[in-house]
Each structure stands twice: as structure tokens, then as C-alpha cells.
Amino acid sequence: MRKFINIAVAGVYRRLPLYQVDEDTFEAVFTAFNDVELTTTAATELLDRVPAFDCILTEETQGVPLAYEMTKQAGLKRYIVARKQAKAHMDDVVAMQMEGTDDVPLDVRKLYLSQEDAAFIKGKRILLVDDCVLHGSTMYALGELVEALGGYVTGMATIMVQEEASLFPDLVALVSLPVYTADQVADLPMAPIGQDKTPDPDGEADYE
């Protein structure tokens, strides 16, 4: 059995399982993988809310389904995925070392693009996309990457954002999720593992 919360994304209902982060902290977990209905609906809703853009940039791998669907619905021909590792097929790879700030902690790491993708970003209006924003470090890193390559961050979009990720006031999110304490989790319902992501049967949502 696992604790869960009910959410609604533009009329699509789901259950999100809760996972314990530390002794007194629980977070809801969401990924867009395997959920075609929710991803498609969220893409449509986000496109109605975001500013104009020339290309979407996301980081592998969880933001890819949403970035693809938004690009497809927008009628654009390409989106760009920043890799966490250089791939053998990426000729003339461009590596950007990312470091965090006091406000947005980020372990020193590198993001990789092909030379072609890096050149395409220059001078373009780039929309940053991810399926879920927890603390904002991915959005921060992607923004730094765009600026370093001569592009312009026109906006940021996600399906769900954790309430703590308040450092991005311009982030467009469809659902805002709280961080739970152990006492708060004690009052939440439970569902069998394997059934905790099914739509809420009574059609009600705690968060939407």
C-alpha cells in the first residue's frame, strides 16, 4: 500500500504516489512517460498559456514526451534535447559546464548538445520545458545553456511544479504540488501499489 494524492490536469484525473525524501518530508512523484492522454492534454493547455517561441529545449529524459507533443501541436519541425552524457553519434559535441547559485543549488555538471543543435539555438526564442519542476535546478541550467549559446529564453513551461520552486515567477505550470510532512501524510488515503496512478474514481482532485 502507498499514500497518494488526487490531481487534475485540464480535466484529466490522476493519482500521484508519495515518496519519503527524508524523515519528515514527502513529495508527490510524477513523470509523463506512458501517459499519452495526460501529456497530450497538458501540451494543448500549456501552448495556450506560453509566450511565442521558435524552439523548445528540454533535458533528457523526462521532459522529452511533453517537448515532443508541444512541438508537434505547435506545428514546428524540431525540438532540442540537452544530453547528460555525450553520445557516440554526436559529432563535434558542445559541452557546457553548469554551476548553481545560492538560490538554485546545482551540482557541477555538463550538458551536451550536438554542434548543429547549438548553432540552431543562436538568436532563437527558446521555450524551456520539463514534465515536473521540483527545485528549479534543471530550468536554471537550461536557461544558462541558452544564454551561453546566444539564444533567448522566452518562457518556461511544466505540467507540475512543487510549491518550493518559487524562484521562477514566470514559470507556467498546470498544477502546484505541496511538500508534505509526516503528520500531513498520515491523513492521506492509501492505494495498492500498481493502482496508485489510476484516475480518481469519484472525479475529485485535491490539486488542479
Side-chain angles (χ1 to χ4, degrees):
M1 302 289 283
R2 181 183 293 161
K3 294 285 186 174
F4 69 90
I5 60 172
N6 299 312
I7 63 152
V9 178
V12 177
Y13 292 86
R14 292 292 184 268
R15 290 173 174 171
L16 295 187
L18 294 179
Y19 289 87
Q20 188 168 5
V21 178
D22 56 39
E23 184 176 347
D24 194 48
T25 306
F26 290 76
E27 294 179 350
V29 176
F30 167 77
T31 60
F33 288 133
N34 305 323
D35 199 330
V36 175
E37 179 188 19
L38 190 146
T39 301
T40 302
T41 301
T44 303
E45 187 73 14
L46 287 171
L47 285 172
D48 286 340
R49 302 188 188 186
V50 297
F53 62 93
D54 301 311
C55 183
I56 286 175
L57 173 66
T58 191
E59 183 185 22
E60 66 174 355
T61 56
Q62 293 180 179
V64 172
L66 180 62
Y68 167 82
E69 185 62 29
M70 291 181 68
T71 300
K72 178 183 175 182
Q73 292 188 24
L76 300 177
K77 295 184 177 180
R78 72 184 294 172
Y79 63 98
I80 296 175
V81 179
R83 304 296 188 99
K84 297 175 183 176
Q85 294 180 337
K87 307 298 182 181
H89 64 272
M90 296 172 66
D91 295 330
D92 300 322
V93 65
V94 174
M96 302 298 299
Q97 182 165 298
M98 299 292 128
E99 297 187 29
T101 66
D102 291 338
D103 292 332
V104 184
L106 179 69
D107 293 336
V108 176
R109 58 174 172 161
K110 291 183 179 180
L111 296 177
Y112 297 87
L113 292 177
S114 67
Q115 185 69 45
E116 179 183 0
D117 284 340
F120 185 82
I121 286 177
K122 186 176 182 180
K124 299 291 196 310
R125 297 170 300 174
I126 305 298
L127 179 69
L128 308 182
V129 167
D130 205 355
D131 67 333
C132 185
V133 174
L134 295 181
H135 307 290
S137 59
T138 296
M139 285 295 185
Y140 175 82
L142 292 175
E144 290 285 287
L145 179 61
V146 170
E147 292 184 8
L149 295 174
Y152 306 91
V153 176
T154 189
M156 296 174 284
T158 187
I159 299 174
M160 300 184 195
V161 61
Q162 199 172 89
E163 287 180 349
E164 289 186 347
S166 58
L167 297 170
F168 302 102
D170 296 329
L171 174 67
V172 177
L174 302 182
V175 179
S176 179
L177 299 174
V179 176
Y180 293 88
T181 65
D183 289 340
Q184 291 171 326
V185 167
D187 296 328
L188 294 174
M190 299 186 73
I193 296 176
Q195 298 180 26
D196 52 1
K197 294 185 180 181
T198 57
D200 182 40
D202 59 14
E204 297 181 357
D206 301 311
Y207 302 97
E208 56 185 326

